[in-house]
Amino acid sequence: MIAAKKRNLQSVLITLAILIILNLIGNSFFHRFDLTKDNRYTLSETSLNIIKQVKEPLSIKIYMEGDLPAEFKRLQQETRELVEEFQAYNSNINFEFVNPLENKDASMDNIKTLYMKGLTPVNITVDDKGKQSQAMVFPWAIAVYQNKEVNIPLLKNIMGASTTEKVIGSVQHLEYSIADALNKITKEKQKKIAVIKGNGEIQDVFIAKFLLQIRESYHIGPFTLDSVAKSPVNSLEALKKYDLAVIAKPTEAFSDAEKQVLDQFIINGGKTIWLVDQVVAEMDSLYNDAGATLAFPRDLNLNDMFFKYGIRINPDIVKDEQGSPIKLATGEQGSATQYQAFNWKFAPLVYPESQHPIVKNLGGIKFDFANPIDTLKNGIKKTVLLKSSQYSKKVGTPTEINLNIVTEETSPNHYINTGNLPMAVLLEGNFHSVFQNRVLAFDQSNFEATGKANKMIVISDGDIIKNQLDKNYEPVELGFDQRSGNLYDNKDFLLNCVNYLLDDTGLINIRSKDLDLPLLDKEKVYENYTQTQVITIGLPILILAIFGVVFGFLRKRKYSR
């Protein structure tokens, strides 16, 4: 008996010693095991580097608590598991889930507060076994660090997609959304963006939403090329202090001196986003008694620059059967006037096919009177980011644009080998100056003919960056079309362009992560509702009961001897 007690005590001590040793080893070596097929919970190296930047307490308030629809419960769970992963690598990161509608008396005040912060709710229809009801959900989070605050969108808008499809797309973007927000509030702004002025570019009020978004991560400022005429060298040196130049829909020709300043900025490593219209055509000019306007080529004196860099923007208009909706008045004028949605072929709706991180997983992007781009062979790597559908073609200018085109009947035979026209191209490589072996527009002692490795993005439509104004002349969300009520992915596309050109942390590459999210088929669940309940609820309970009976029987049999 005494020997048995000694053996038992010895076993306990050995077990305790092993547990202590394992615990010490576990504290010394930190590792997270991800057993999912798609490595869903394995944070990228970029995210881990951003997490290291959090040196003080950082709080994340997630407004997705309470009785949520099934799809949003999945998004809630995925968000919880991901922020737990962030927290596991840095204990300074804290989070909580909040239900803004929990207290009925204070819910309206909470909703107003969230609205003021830019957190708009989503109203969805919940279908429960044929019974429909409305639910309001706030798929947002707010991160706070050192008195700085940033919104985190958890639900990605995908035009025309079902709620389930939106949730799948949102889970794909969760790590990017959270890592991007943490990077914004923990990293000091370093990169500078110049918004080029002086050649009839878009007014600031029409690019306000774009500017407001990028200033969260970068320093921005206007840069007027008017000073080039008096002091070109000083203008060039001032522009070199910026990392990126955005040229948004210029309408006046560039002088050779202005071109040399921009060219040398590029040759010396400056990034550029060109949003250029080679044709004069505006939607507003169509709303007249005739319902027509003349589209004609625009000469910006940039053709030789683009040709040298490896592209050509043609003075044609892209006509695409995959157009955006437009509402036009039908019937008699007066009280009988009705508005009907038509397909507007001169506003191509582009769904990205490229797997490049800039456009991967984006929804529809709306163009207006875009021009086709030709890519030329010159040693520069060119990636077509956006292109028209296969049922599209060029329309030469000058030409009349008439609203009556909405009634035009066409067939696939009209678009044989005419479609897939590039409208946004990424160029990467060592650019050669357009002034190489040419007379310079102004004397420059440090002129460079060949540049260092660089990249630029050329988009053949200036309106893609343009936000509309509401009745109070306030900017509406970039990508929102008030005429149709649709929200397009123009903003995300442009932000991705900026981040890709300036990103030195690799944050944009997180967007390339693919996740496999199996979801229940609602129709099949409804058809076999009772059977589904038995399998998901009854069967586990039955298995547990059988295990309990068998275990009790074996235990009783063993100790009754």
Side-chain angles (χ1 to χ4, degrees):
M1 191 71 176
I2 295 174
K5 287 184 177 181
K6 285 185 177 180
R7 285 196 300 271
N8 290 338
L9 180 60
Q10 187 178 19
S11 298
V12 170
L13 292 175
I14 292 173
T15 302
L16 287 174
I18 293 173
L19 290 174
I20 292 172
I21 292 171
L22 290 175
N23 191 42
L24 292 173
I25 294 174
N27 287 333
S28 302
F29 300 95
F30 174 79
H31 186 74
R32 303 281 288 178
F33 293 94
D34 185 355
L35 303 181
T36 57
K37 180 181 178 181
D38 50 13
N39 292 324
R40 188 178 312 165
Y41 307 113
T42 301
L43 296 182
S44 66
E45 193 65 33
T46 300
S47 295
L48 295 176
N49 291 334
I50 292 173
I51 291 172
K52 294 176 182 177
Q53 297 172 183
V54 183
K55 305 298 184 182
E56 298 180 19
L58 183 151
S59 64
I60 303 175
K61 189 174 289 187
I62 304 163
Y63 294 94
M64 289 191 66
E65 188 61 69
D67 187 17
L68 301 172
E71 294 90 344
F72 284 90
K73 285 182 180 177
R74 181 63 182 271
L75 180 59
Q76 177 200 53
Q77 183 62 26
E78 294 287 347
T79 303
R80 184 187 302 275
E81 290 172 350
L82 189 59
V83 292
E84 285 177 350
E85 197 69 20
F86 275 79
Q87 188 182 53
Y89 286 94
N90 192 329
S91 59
N92 283 325
I93 299 175
N94 301 295
F95 69 92
E96 64 173 325
F97 280 77
V98 178
N99 181 5
L101 307 177
E102 182 177 13
N103 188 332
K104 292 184 179 180
D105 296 331
S107 61
M108 287 306 298
D109 292 334
N110 291 337
I111 291 173
K112 289 179 181 178
T113 302
L114 294 177
Y115 258 109
M116 293 294 291
K117 292 183 177 183
L119 278 61
T120 54
V122 175
N123 293 303
I124 62 171
T125 301
V126 181
D127 192 348
D128 185 10
K129 293 187 293 182
K131 297 180 181 179
Q132 292 188 342
S133 60
Q134 295 293 319
M136 179 185 289
V137 181
F138 280 89
W140 291 88
I142 295 179
V144 180
Y145 182 76
Q146 293 180 342
N147 297 321
K148 291 187 290 185
E149 190 174 284
V150 65
N151 297 340
I152 307 175
L154 303 178
L155 182 68
K156 178 174 172 54
N157 172 70
I158 304 175
M159 195 185 66
S162 65
T163 303
T164 300
E165 291 169 336
K166 289 181 180 179
V167 167
I168 292 175
S170 301
V171 174
Q172 298 269 9
H173 283 77
L174 267 182
E175 183 181 347
Y176 174 79
S177 297
I178 297 174
D180 181 47
L182 266 57
N183 190 54
K184 286 178 180 177
I185 57 175
T186 58
K187 185 178 180 181
E188 293 297 327
K189 296 179 183 179
Q190 295 177 341
K191 301 291 180 70
K192 297 180 179 180
I193 298 176
V195 181
I196 302 299
K197 301 290 184 181
N199 293 83
E201 287 82 3
I202 297 179
Q203 298 177 30
D204 285 347
V205 68
F206 291 107
I207 58 173
K209 288 299 181 178
F210 171 77
L211 298 177
L212 287 171
Q213 192 69 42
I214 61 172
R215 78 173 184 180
E216 293 182 357
S217 305
Y218 308 102
H219 296 288
I220 58 174
F223 190 93
T224 306
L225 293 178
D226 293 345
S227 59
V228 172
K230 294 181 179 180
S231 182
V233 174
N234 290 338
S235 297
L236 173 58
E237 293 304 315
L239 185 59
K240 284 182 181 179
K241 295 178 181 178
Y242 290 87
D243 302 284
L244 169 69
V246 177
I247 303 97
K249 196 177 180 178
T251 57
E252 300 172 7
F254 288 78
S255 67
D256 285 346
E258 291 171 339
K259 285 165 57 178
Q260 184 174 332
V261 168
L262 292 174
D263 174 83
Q264 288 300 290
F265 170 74
I266 293 168
I267 297 301
N268 282 275
K271 313 296 190 298
T272 47
I273 297 179
W274 297 87
L275 301 108
V276 177
D277 283 351
Q278 286 287 70
V279 173
V280 179
E282 301 291 341
M283 279 300 300
D284 292 340
S285 61
L286 282 167
Y287 295 104
N288 52 46
D289 293 337
T293 187
L294 179 67
F296 55 91
R298 171 182 280 138
D299 182 15
L300 297 173
N301 193 30
L302 294 174
N303 292 341
D304 55 345
M305 274 186 72
F306 290 145
F307 190 87
K308 190 71 173 182
Y309 298 154
I311 63 157
R312 176 173 50 233
I313 304 178
N314 296 302
D316 305 318
I317 301 177
V318 175
K319 176 186 173 185
D320 197 334
E321 290 295 324
Q322 186 174 282
S324 305
I326 182 176
K327 288 187 176 181
L328 299 175
T330 59
E332 298 180 1
Q333 293 184 351
S335 59
T337 301
Q338 296 179 342
Y339 288 89
Q340 183 178 345
F342 294 93
N343 180 34
W344 183 239
K345 301 176 185 180
F346 290 113
L349 179 56
V350 179
Y351 290 93
E353 297 179 5
S354 171
Q355 293 301 302
H356 193 279
I358 293 177
V359 294
K360 187 174 182 179
N361 297 325
L362 286 183
I365 299 166
K366 181 178 179 291
F367 285 75
D368 275 307
F369 298 113
N371 317 128
I373 300 176
D374 292 338
T375 56
L376 313 171
K377 293 182 179 180
N378 67 339
I380 297 293
K381 178 184 177 183
K382 302 169 190 73
T383 304
V384 176
L385 300 175
L386 299 173
K387 60 184 179 180
S388 62
S389 75
Q390 68 180 101
Y391 301 113
S392 61
K393 65 180 181 180
K394 305 175 185 178
V395 176
T397 59
T399 187
E400 182 186 74
I401 304 296
N402 198 305
L403 290 174
N404 289 332
I405 197 176
V406 297
T407 62
E408 178 188 54
E409 294 184 3
T410 58
S411 72
N413 294 331
H414 295 156
Y415 299 99
I416 297 176
N417 299 324
T418 63
N420 298 317
L421 302 170
M423 297 187 292
V425 180
L426 167 68
L427 293 85
E428 299 174 285
N430 300 87
F431 296 100
H432 290 263
S433 171
V434 67
F435 291 93
Q436 186 178 24
N437 301 321
R438 283 175 51 181
V439 177
L440 298 180
F442 60 86
D443 292 333
Q444 181 186 344
S445 58
N446 58 350
F447 173 81
E448 296 288 342
T450 304
K452 59 184 75 172
N454 200 355
K455 46 192 174 182
M456 71 168 67
I457 294 173
V458 179
I459 305 169
S460 61
D461 177 26
D463 293 312
I464 199 173
I465 197 175
K466 189 175 180 180
N467 57 250
Q468 298 178 4
L469 304 180
D470 62 19
K471 59 183 179 181
N472 297 319
Y473 298 98
E474 294 293 328
V476 301
E477 188 62 54
L478 175 57
F480 181 68
D481 180 20
Q482 296 179 99
R483 296 188 180 98
S484 64
N486 291 332
L487 179 62
Y488 302 97
D489 260 2
N490 294 38
K491 181 180 75 171
D492 285 350
F493 168 62
L494 290 169
L495 293 179
N496 290 345
C497 288
V498 173
N499 290 337
Y500 181 80
L501 294 178
L502 293 181
D503 188 19
D504 55 359
T505 64
L507 188 62
I508 190 70
N509 292 322
I510 302 178
R511 292 177 50 83
S512 302
K513 192 172 184 177
D514 286 317
L515 304 180
D516 182 21
L517 298 174
L519 296 172
L520 290 177
D521 188 327
K522 283 188 174 181
E523 296 300 324
K524 290 184 178 179
V525 171
Y526 291 157
E527 290 174 5
N528 306 283
Y529 194 77
T530 303
Q531 182 181 350
T532 303
Q533 281 187 317
V534 171
I535 293 174
T536 57
I537 300 176
L539 187 59
I541 295 176
L542 179 61
I543 293 173
L544 186 61
I546 293 173
F547 174 78
V549 171
V550 172
F551 180 78
F553 173 76
L554 294 176
R555 187 172 183 276
K556 184 177 180 181
R557 181 179 166 183
K558 178 180 179 180
Y559 290 102
S560 63
R561 294 176 180 177

